[in-house]
PDB file of all heavy atoms in Angstrom:
ATOM      1  N   ASN A 182       7.756  -8.553  -3.512  1.00 98.00           N
ATOM      2  CA  ASN A 182       7.798  -7.884  -2.218  1.00 98.00           C
ATOM      3  C   ASN A 182       9.059  -7.028  -2.205  1.00 98.00           C
ATOM      4  O   ASN A 182       9.933  -7.191  -3.058  1.00 98.00           O
ATOM      5  CB  ASN A 182       7.759  -8.908  -1.072  1.00 98.00           C
ATOM      6  CG  ASN A 182       9.000  -9.778  -1.019  1.00 98.00           C
ATOM      7  OD1 ASN A 182      10.108  -9.292  -0.759  1.00 98.00           O
ATOM      8  ND2 ASN A 182       8.842 -11.071  -1.292  1.00 98.00           N
ATOM      9  N   ASP A 208      -0.893  -3.823  -7.987  1.00 95.00           N
ATOM     10  CA  ASP A 208      -1.140  -3.725  -6.549  1.00 95.00           C
ATOM     11  C   ASP A 208      -2.041  -4.848  -6.036  1.00 95.00           C
ATOM     12  O   ASP A 208      -2.819  -4.656  -5.105  1.00 95.00           O
ATOM     13  CB  ASP A 208      -1.781  -2.362  -6.246  1.00 95.00           C
ATOM     14  CG  ASP A 208      -1.690  -2.030  -4.766  1.00 95.00           C
ATOM     15  OD1 ASP A 208      -0.690  -2.426  -4.137  1.00 95.00           O
ATOM     16  OD2 ASP A 208      -2.623  -1.408  -4.235  1.00 95.00           O
ATOM     17  N   THR A 209      -1.893  -6.005  -6.597  1.00 92.00           N
ATOM     18  CA  THR A 209      -2.792  -7.121  -6.305  1.00 92.00           C
ATOM     19  C   THR A 209      -2.861  -7.474  -4.818  1.00 92.00           C
ATOM     20  O   THR A 209      -3.895  -7.929  -4.337  1.00 92.00           O
ATOM     21  CB  THR A 209      -2.343  -8.359  -7.111  1.00 92.00           C
ATOM     22  OG1 THR A 209      -2.039  -7.926  -8.442  1.00 92.00           O
ATOM     23  CG2 THR A 209      -3.418  -9.417  -7.155  1.00 92.00           C
ATOM     24  N   ARG A 210      -1.757  -7.274  -4.103  1.00 94.00           N
ATOM     25  CA  ARG A 210      -1.732  -7.611  -2.666  1.00 94.00           C
ATOM     26  C   ARG A 210      -1.394  -6.410  -1.780  1.00 94.00           C
ATOM     27  O   ARG A 210      -0.920  -6.572  -0.649  1.00 94.00           O
ATOM     28  CB  ARG A 210      -0.758  -8.772  -2.417  1.00 94.00           C
ATOM     29  CG  ARG A 210      -1.291 -10.071  -2.994  1.00 94.00           C
ATOM     30  CD  ARG A 210      -0.380 -11.255  -2.907  1.00 94.00           C
ATOM     31  NE  ARG A 210      -1.087 -12.370  -3.541  1.00 94.00           N
ATOM     32  CZ  ARG A 210      -1.171 -12.543  -4.862  1.00 94.00           C
ATOM     33  NH1 ARG A 210      -0.553 -11.726  -5.688  1.00 94.00           N
ATOM     34  NH2 ARG A 210      -1.875 -13.552  -5.348  1.00 94.00           N
ATOM     35  N   GLY A 245      -7.995 -16.751  -9.778  1.00 49.00           N
ATOM     36  CA  GLY A 245      -8.080 -16.560  -8.325  1.00 49.00           C
ATOM     37  C   GLY A 245      -7.144 -15.508  -7.778  1.00 49.00           C
ATOM     38  O   GLY A 245      -6.843 -15.487  -6.599  1.00 49.00           O
ATOM     39  N   GLU A 246      -6.687 -14.603  -8.626  1.00 48.00           N
ATOM     40  CA  GLU A 246      -5.704 -13.629  -8.174  1.00 48.00           C
ATOM     41  C   GLU A 246      -6.325 -12.264  -7.873  1.00 48.00           C
ATOM     42  O   GLU A 246      -5.629 -11.279  -7.799  1.00 48.00           O
ATOM     43  CB  GLU A 246      -4.609 -13.474  -9.231  1.00 48.00           C
ATOM     44  CG  GLU A 246      -3.701 -14.677  -9.361  1.00 48.00           C
ATOM     45  CD  GLU A 246      -2.575 -14.644  -8.337  1.00 48.00           C
ATOM     46  OE1 GLU A 246      -1.873 -13.652  -8.252  1.00 48.00           O
ATOM     47  OE2 GLU A 246      -2.442 -15.633  -7.605  1.00 48.00           O
ATOM     48  N   THR A 249      -7.001  -6.312  -9.462  1.00 74.00           N
ATOM     49  CA  THR A 249      -6.391  -5.055  -9.047  1.00 74.00           C
ATOM     50  C   THR A 249      -5.405  -4.613 -10.094  1.00 74.00           C
ATOM     51  O   THR A 249      -4.769  -5.422 -10.756  1.00 74.00           O
ATOM     52  CB  THR A 249      -5.656  -5.219  -7.724  1.00 74.00           C
ATOM     53  OG1 THR A 249      -4.856  -6.389  -7.809  1.00 74.00           O
ATOM     54  CG2 THR A 249      -6.619  -5.317  -6.582  1.00 74.00           C
ATOM     55  N   ALA A 263       6.445  13.428  -0.718  1.00 97.00           N
ATOM     56  CA  ALA A 263       6.593  13.544   0.740  1.00 97.00           C
ATOM     57  C   ALA A 263       7.990  13.111   1.183  1.00 97.00           C
ATOM     58  O   ALA A 263       8.548  13.639   2.143  1.00 97.00           O
ATOM     59  CB  ALA A 263       5.524  12.720   1.447  1.00 97.00           C
ATOM     60  N   MET A 264       8.560  12.152   0.445  1.00 97.00           N
ATOM     61  CA  MET A 264       9.917  11.684   0.753  1.00 97.00           C
ATOM     62  C   MET A 264      10.990  12.662   0.277  1.00 97.00           C
ATOM     63  O   MET A 264      12.183  12.442   0.515  1.00 97.00           O
ATOM     64  CB  MET A 264      10.155  10.315   0.091  1.00 97.00           C
ATOM     65  CG  MET A 264       9.414   9.168   0.740  1.00 97.00           C
ATOM     66  SD  MET A 264       9.420   7.657  -0.310  1.00 97.00           S
ATOM     67  CE  MET A 264      11.184   7.244  -0.307  1.00 97.00           C
ATOM     68  N   ARG A 291      -9.497   3.690  -7.105  1.00 90.00           N
ATOM     69  CA  ARG A 291      -8.901   3.141  -5.895  1.00 90.00           C
ATOM     70  C   ARG A 291      -7.891   4.049  -5.192  1.00 90.00           C
ATOM     71  O   ARG A 291      -7.210   3.609  -4.265  1.00 90.00           O
ATOM     72  CB  ARG A 291      -8.281   1.774  -6.205  1.00 90.00           C
ATOM     73  CG  ARG A 291      -9.325   0.705  -6.592  1.00 90.00           C
ATOM     74  CD  ARG A 291      -8.699  -0.660  -6.808  1.00 90.00           C
ATOM     75  NE  ARG A 291      -7.930  -1.054  -5.658  1.00 90.00           N
ATOM     76  CZ  ARG A 291      -6.606  -1.123  -5.627  1.00 90.00           C
ATOM     77  NH1 ARG A 291      -5.899  -0.850  -6.685  1.00 90.00           N
ATOM     78  NH2 ARG A 291      -5.992  -1.461  -4.530  1.00 90.00           N
ATOM     79  N   MET A 293      -6.179   6.487  -2.640  1.00 92.00           N
ATOM     80  CA  MET A 293      -6.398   6.914  -1.264  1.00 92.00           C
ATOM     81  C   MET A 293      -6.264   8.428  -1.144  1.00 92.00           C
ATOM     82  O   MET A 293      -7.066   9.069  -0.467  1.00 92.00           O
ATOM     83  CB  MET A 293      -5.371   6.239  -0.344  1.00 92.00           C
ATOM     84  CG  MET A 293      -5.325   4.724  -0.468  1.00 92.00           C
ATOM     85  SD  MET A 293      -6.793   3.898   0.181  1.00 92.00           S
ATOM     86  CE  MET A 293      -6.430   3.969   1.927  1.00 92.00           C
ATOM     87  N   SER A 297      -8.164  11.535   0.731  1.00 89.00           N
ATOM     88  CA  SER A 297      -7.519  11.983   1.973  1.00 89.00           C
ATOM     89  C   SER A 297      -6.672  13.227   1.811  1.00 89.00           C
ATOM     90  O   SER A 297      -6.236  13.804   2.805  1.00 89.00           O
ATOM     91  CB  SER A 297      -6.622  10.858   2.513  1.00 89.00           C
ATOM     92  OG  SER A 297      -7.345   9.656   2.599  1.00 89.00           O
ATOM     93  N   GLY A 298      -6.402  13.629   0.587  1.00 91.00           N
ATOM     94  CA  GLY A 298      -5.539  14.787   0.382  1.00 91.00           C
ATOM     95  C   GLY A 298      -4.072  14.411   0.387  1.00 91.00           C
ATOM     96  O   GLY A 298      -3.697  13.285   0.723  1.00 91.00           O
ATOM     97  N   GLY A 300      -1.609  15.375   2.218  1.00 92.00           N
ATOM     98  CA  GLY A 300      -0.859  15.314   3.477  1.00 92.00           C
ATOM     99  C   GLY A 300       0.365  16.207   3.408  1.00 92.00           C
ATOM    100  O   GLY A 300       0.293  17.334   2.918  1.00 92.00           O
TER     101      GLY A 300
ATOM    102  N   ASN B 182       6.013   8.704   5.813  1.00 98.00           N
ATOM    103  CA  ASN B 182       6.487   8.027   4.606  1.00 98.00           C
ATOM    104  C   ASN B 182       7.706   7.203   4.997  1.00 98.00           C
ATOM    105  O   ASN B 182       8.245   7.372   6.100  1.00 98.00           O
ATOM    106  CB  ASN B 182       6.794   9.047   3.497  1.00 98.00           C
ATOM    107  CG  ASN B 182       7.962   9.943   3.841  1.00 98.00           C
ATOM    108  OD1 ASN B 182       9.099   9.494   3.942  1.00 98.00           O
ATOM    109  ND2 ASN B 182       7.688  11.232   4.069  1.00 98.00           N
ATOM    110  N   ASP B 208      -3.523   3.741   7.245  1.00 95.00           N
ATOM    111  CA  ASP B 208      -3.282   3.645   5.796  1.00 95.00           C
ATOM    112  C   ASP B 208      -3.997   4.755   5.022  1.00 95.00           C
ATOM    113  O   ASP B 208      -4.430   4.558   3.893  1.00 95.00           O
ATOM    114  CB  ASP B 208      -3.745   2.271   5.301  1.00 95.00           C
ATOM    115  CG  ASP B 208      -3.160   1.960   3.942  1.00 95.00           C
ATOM    116  OD1 ASP B 208      -2.011   2.363   3.685  1.00 95.00           O
ATOM    117  OD2 ASP B 208      -3.853   1.318   3.119  1.00 95.00           O
ATOM    118  N   THR B 209      -4.059   5.919   5.602  1.00 92.00           N
ATOM    119  CA  THR B 209      -4.850   7.014   5.027  1.00 92.00           C
ATOM    120  C   THR B 209      -4.442   7.367   3.597  1.00 92.00           C
ATOM    121  O   THR B 209      -5.270   7.792   2.799  1.00 92.00           O
ATOM    122  CB  THR B 209      -4.710   8.260   5.933  1.00 92.00           C
ATOM    123  OG1 THR B 209      -4.831   7.835   7.290  1.00 92.00           O
ATOM    124  CG2 THR B 209      -5.766   9.292   5.618  1.00 92.00           C
ATOM    125  N   ARG B 210      -3.172   7.198   3.281  1.00 94.00           N
ATOM    126  CA  ARG B 210      -2.679   7.537   1.933  1.00 94.00           C
ATOM    127  C   ARG B 210      -2.040   6.349   1.225  1.00 94.00           C
ATOM    128  O   ARG B 210      -1.235   6.512   0.304  1.00 94.00           O
ATOM    129  CB  ARG B 210      -1.702   8.715   2.010  1.00 94.00           C
ATOM    130  CG  ARG B 210      -2.408   9.994   2.392  1.00 94.00           C
ATOM    131  CD  ARG B 210      -1.555  11.211   2.586  1.00 94.00           C
ATOM    132  NE  ARG B 210      -2.443  12.311   2.938  1.00 94.00           N
ATOM    133  CZ  ARG B 210      -2.944  12.491   4.155  1.00 94.00           C
ATOM    134  NH1 ARG B 210      -2.619  11.685   5.133  1.00 94.00           N
ATOM    135  NH2 ARG B 210      -3.796  13.476   4.385  1.00 94.00           N
ATOM    136  N   GLY B 245     -11.093  16.512   6.623  1.00 49.00           N
ATOM    137  CA  GLY B 245     -10.702  16.326   5.230  1.00 49.00           C
ATOM    138  C   GLY B 245      -9.620  15.294   5.009  1.00 49.00           C
ATOM    139  O   GLY B 245      -8.939  15.300   3.998  1.00 49.00           O
ATOM    140  N   GLU B 246      -9.450  14.399   5.971  1.00 48.00           N
ATOM    141  CA  GLU B 246      -8.347  13.449   5.847  1.00 48.00           C
ATOM    142  C   GLU B 246      -8.795  12.072   5.370  1.00 48.00           C
ATOM    143  O   GLU B 246      -8.050  11.107   5.484  1.00 48.00           O
ATOM    144  CB  GLU B 246      -7.632  13.302   7.193  1.00 48.00           C
ATOM    145  CG  GLU B 246      -6.868  14.535   7.617  1.00 48.00           C
ATOM    146  CD  GLU B 246      -5.472  14.574   7.010  1.00 48.00           C
ATOM    147  OE1 GLU B 246      -4.733  13.602   7.166  1.00 48.00           O
ATOM    148  OE2 GLU B 246      -5.136  15.584   6.367  1.00 48.00           O
ATOM    149  N   THR B 249      -9.820   6.092   6.669  1.00 74.00           N
ATOM    150  CA  THR B 249      -9.076   4.851   6.478  1.00 74.00           C
ATOM    151  C   THR B 249      -8.464   4.430   7.782  1.00 74.00           C
ATOM    152  O   THR B 249      -8.094   5.261   8.602  1.00 74.00           O
ATOM    153  CB  THR B 249      -7.954   5.042   5.465  1.00 74.00           C
ATOM    154  OG1 THR B 249      -7.266   6.240   5.799  1.00 74.00           O
ATOM    155  CG2 THR B 249      -8.503   5.134   4.067  1.00 74.00           C
ATOM    156  N   ALA B 263       6.168 -13.292   2.811  1.00 97.00           N
ATOM    157  CA  ALA B 263       6.792 -13.406   1.487  1.00 97.00           C
ATOM    158  C   ALA B 263       8.243 -12.933   1.522  1.00 97.00           C
ATOM    159  O   ALA B 263       9.089 -13.440   0.791  1.00 97.00           O
ATOM    160  CB  ALA B 263       5.992 -12.595   0.458  1.00 97.00           C
ATOM    161  N   MET B 264       8.533 -11.963   2.392  1.00 97.00           N
ATOM    162  CA  MET B 264       9.905 -11.466   2.541  1.00 97.00           C
ATOM    163  C   MET B 264      10.779 -12.417   3.353  1.00 97.00           C
ATOM    164  O   MET B 264      11.976 -12.175   3.509  1.00 97.00           O
ATOM    165  CB  MET B 264       9.878 -10.099   3.240  1.00 97.00           C
ATOM    166  CG  MET B 264       9.342  -8.969   2.380  1.00 97.00           C
ATOM    167  SD  MET B 264       8.985  -7.454   3.353  1.00 97.00           S
ATOM    168  CE  MET B 264      10.638  -6.997   3.920  1.00 97.00           C
ATOM    169  N   ARG B 291     -11.192  -3.959   3.652  1.00 90.00           N
ATOM    170  CA  ARG B 291     -10.253  -3.380   2.700  1.00 90.00           C
ATOM    171  C   ARG B 291      -9.048  -4.264   2.372  1.00 90.00           C
ATOM    172  O   ARG B 291      -8.107  -3.808   1.724  1.00 90.00           O
ATOM    173  CB  ARG B 291      -9.789  -2.011   3.191  1.00 90.00           C
ATOM    174  CG  ARG B 291     -10.944  -0.977   3.251  1.00 90.00           C
ATOM    175  CD  ARG B 291     -10.462   0.408   3.637  1.00 90.00           C
ATOM    176  NE  ARG B 291      -9.360   0.835   2.805  1.00 90.00           N
ATOM    177  CZ  ARG B 291      -8.100   0.918   3.198  1.00 90.00           C
ATOM    178  NH1 ARG B 291      -7.767   0.621   4.436  1.00 90.00           N
ATOM    179  NH2 ARG B 291      -7.165   1.302   2.377  1.00 90.00           N
ATOM    180  N   MET B 293      -6.558  -6.672   0.506  1.00 92.00           N
ATOM    181  CA  MET B 293      -6.305  -7.089  -0.866  1.00 92.00           C
ATOM    182  C   MET B 293      -6.114  -8.602  -0.929  1.00 92.00           C
ATOM    183  O   MET B 293      -6.618  -9.259  -1.831  1.00 92.00           O
ATOM    184  CB  MET B 293      -5.055  -6.400  -1.407  1.00 92.00           C
ATOM    185  CG  MET B 293      -5.087  -4.890  -1.276  1.00 92.00           C
ATOM    186  SD  MET B 293      -6.292  -4.086  -2.345  1.00 92.00           S
ATOM    187  CE  MET B 293      -5.387  -4.122  -3.885  1.00 92.00           C
ATOM    188  N   SER B 297      -7.232 -11.766  -3.295  1.00 89.00           N
ATOM    189  CA  SER B 297      -6.202 -12.189  -4.260  1.00 89.00           C
ATOM    190  C   SER B 297      -5.421 -13.417  -3.828  1.00 89.00           C
ATOM    191  O   SER B 297      -4.673 -13.968  -4.630  1.00 89.00           O
ATOM    192  CB  SER B 297      -5.207 -11.046  -4.495  1.00 89.00           C
ATOM    193  OG  SER B 297      -5.884  -9.855  -4.810  1.00 89.00           O
ATOM    194  N   GLY B 298      -5.571 -13.806  -2.584  1.00 91.00           N
ATOM    195  CA  GLY B 298      -4.793 -14.941  -2.104  1.00 91.00           C
ATOM    196  C   GLY B 298      -3.409 -14.519  -1.640  1.00 91.00           C
ATOM    197  O   GLY B 298      -2.990 -13.383  -1.832  1.00 91.00           O
ATOM    198  N   GLY B 300      -0.466 -15.418  -2.576  1.00 92.00           N
ATOM    199  CA  GLY B 300       0.660 -15.321  -3.508  1.00 92.00           C
ATOM    200  C   GLY B 300       1.815 -16.190  -3.046  1.00 92.00           C
ATOM    201  O   GLY B 300       1.620 -17.330  -2.614  1.00 92.00           O
TER     202      GLY B 300
END
Side-chain angles (χ1 to χ4, degrees):
Chain A
N182 66 66
D208 197 33
T209 316
R210 290 175 181 79
E246 290 276 307
T249 47
M264 288 167 66
R291 294 184 54 251
M293 307 290 282
S297 308
Chain B
N182 66 66
D208 197 35
T209 316
R210 291 176 180 79
E246 291 275 306
T249 47
M264 288 167 65
R291 295 184 52 253
M293 306 291 281
S297 309

